[in-house]
Amino acid sequence: GCAGPSSFGFLRLLQGSPRSLLTLVLSSQELETLVAHWNLYLNLAGFFVGLFSVTLFGPWSDSVGRRPVLILPTLGMALQAAIYLVVMYAQLPVGYLMVGRVLSGLSGDYNLVLTGCFAYVADVSDQSRRTFRVAVLEACLGLAGMVASVLGGQWRRAQGYMAPFWLVFAASLAHEPCRSQCGRSSRHYGRLLYSLAFFVVVTVHFGAREILVLYELGPPLCWGSELIGYGSAALYLTYLSSLVGLRLLQRCLPDAWVAELGLLSNALGLGTMALAGTTALMFTGYGLLFLSMMVTPVIRSKLSRLVGETEQGALFAAVACVEGLCSLVATGAFSSLFPACLSFMRGFPFLFGALLLVVPAVGDPEVVVGVPSLGGVGWG
């Protein structure tokens, strides 16, 4: 098969490597393996360094405000992009990319941006509207991913890999909210259960997305790039459809039942994909996912209600760390499970993910232990 776009990006970086690494790359498969290894090294470096930074700067934002934790990671990512550009222009050894990745991790990276954004939403919204506000932010992330996927691909084809890296130098500042003071919560058990539910849901989401293109490329679907693009667009649209669905369902159902419907949508979609043998059935699976992204906004909102207003940064820093761990676990688990199941059922990882969603579906602490929110406000 042909090497993917990321492979050709690294190909330029490998040109300046010692012993002319290009002479060692004898096939597209070997090139893909080399790219996969370096992606793994960079991701691990960013995760472990960022884990320290997020747990430090997240709680710090509760005392100094959200503006610093939004500025700091954008500067770090700009520095990372600058180092990447130097490596590409000077054709330095690919190992120098690690320097930029570590510096970005030290500044908090993308996870600290999410920490600041979600904490800011919690600061400026009351508990009755917090779930929808969080859902709006998540929908913005999905919309941004869809726009970046479409425009980024066109930009890369038009001007190459260099130009898009300049975009990351643009950073925006956030408005500093006023926060009220509130007492501390000791609802550790509720936070633990909701964190477990969040871990399972996000791991399944990342894991399914990790193998989706490989699944669509192989038999019986054998999709080309056009159909894969349509599938990717359909997946990103679930952020918007889930936002609309959440807004409508909140008018007649409490948040707990909204989340349950989101889990049902997710499980049905993944189960349909697992059995999909035709293009029509695969897109039916995409369609059934239309409410699947309602779950994580509800969980984030519920977690936010379990802590005081002066602990929102610490909370969302912990959530960001869990989300980073989900990405690592999902990549390792689903990427290993997919080739192991090719001999008997290509779609088994999707079915496995659907079965895992039973855990948060039956483990809602609102139903199991009746955990109340801070200040005596009900969960519904």
Side-chain angles (χ1 to χ4, degrees), residues 34 37 82 135 143 166 172 181 236 271 290 317 327 332 366 372 375:
L34 185 62
H37 285 166
L143 182 62
W166 292 101
S172 58
Q181 300 297 317
Y236 281 121
F290 75 111
S327 179
E366 180 181 355

Side-chain angles (χ1 to χ4, degrees), residues 184-261:
R184 292 180 177 268
S185 172
S186 59
R187 308 297 184 180
H188 299 298
Y189 188 52
R191 289 199 294 265
L192 179 62
L193 289 179
Y194 280 124
S195 297
L196 175 61
F198 183 83
F199 177 81
V200 173
V201 171
V202 176
T203 297
V204 170
H205 174 70
F206 283 158
R209 193 174 62 180
E210 184 75 21
I211 63 172
L212 198 53
V213 173
L214 292 176
Y215 181 69
E216 292 167 345
L217 284 172
L221 296 175
C222 298
W223 280 10
S225 58
E226 185 176 1
L227 283 175
I228 290 176
Y230 290 145
S232 178
L235 188 62
Y236 281 121
L237 284 174
T238 59
Y239 286 89
L240 298 180
S241 60
S242 295
L243 175 64
V244 175
L246 184 144
R247 185 61 169 174
L248 295 176
L249 290 171
Q250 277 188 319
R251 297 178 182 274
C252 55
L253 293 174
D255 282 355
W257 285 106
V258 172
E260 293 287 349
L261 290 176

Side-chain angles (χ1 to χ4, degrees), residues 248-332:
L248 295 176
L249 290 171
Q250 277 188 319
R251 297 178 182 274
C252 55
L253 293 174
D255 282 355
W257 285 106
V258 172
E260 293 287 349
L261 290 176
L263 289 169
L264 178 62
S265 171
N266 205 343
L268 289 175
L270 292 176
T272 303
M273 288 179 171
L275 303 174
T278 63
T279 295
L281 193 57
M282 188 65 183
F283 275 107
T284 300
Y286 277 118
L288 290 172
L289 292 173
F290 75 111
L291 296 178
S292 61
M293 297 308 298
M294 295 193 307
V295 184
T296 49
V298 171
I299 297 177
R300 291 185 201 267
S301 176
K302 287 178 179 290
L303 282 169
S304 176
R305 298 175 194 179
L306 285 174
V307 301
E309 295 300 318
T310 60
E311 300 173 305
Q312 297 296 324
L315 169 71
F316 285 109
V319 172
C321 292
V322 172
E323 195 165 358
L325 181 61
C326 290
S327 179
L328 290 180
V329 172
T331 299

Side-chain angles (χ1 to χ4, degrees), residues 152-176:
Q154 297 294 331
W155 193 4
R156 176 186 57 79
R157 281 190 287 271
Q159 298 185 2
Y161 285 87
M162 302 289 195
F165 275 97
W166 292 101
L167 184 61
V168 299
F169 284 104
S172 58
L173 300 180
H175 170 67
E176 174 62 33

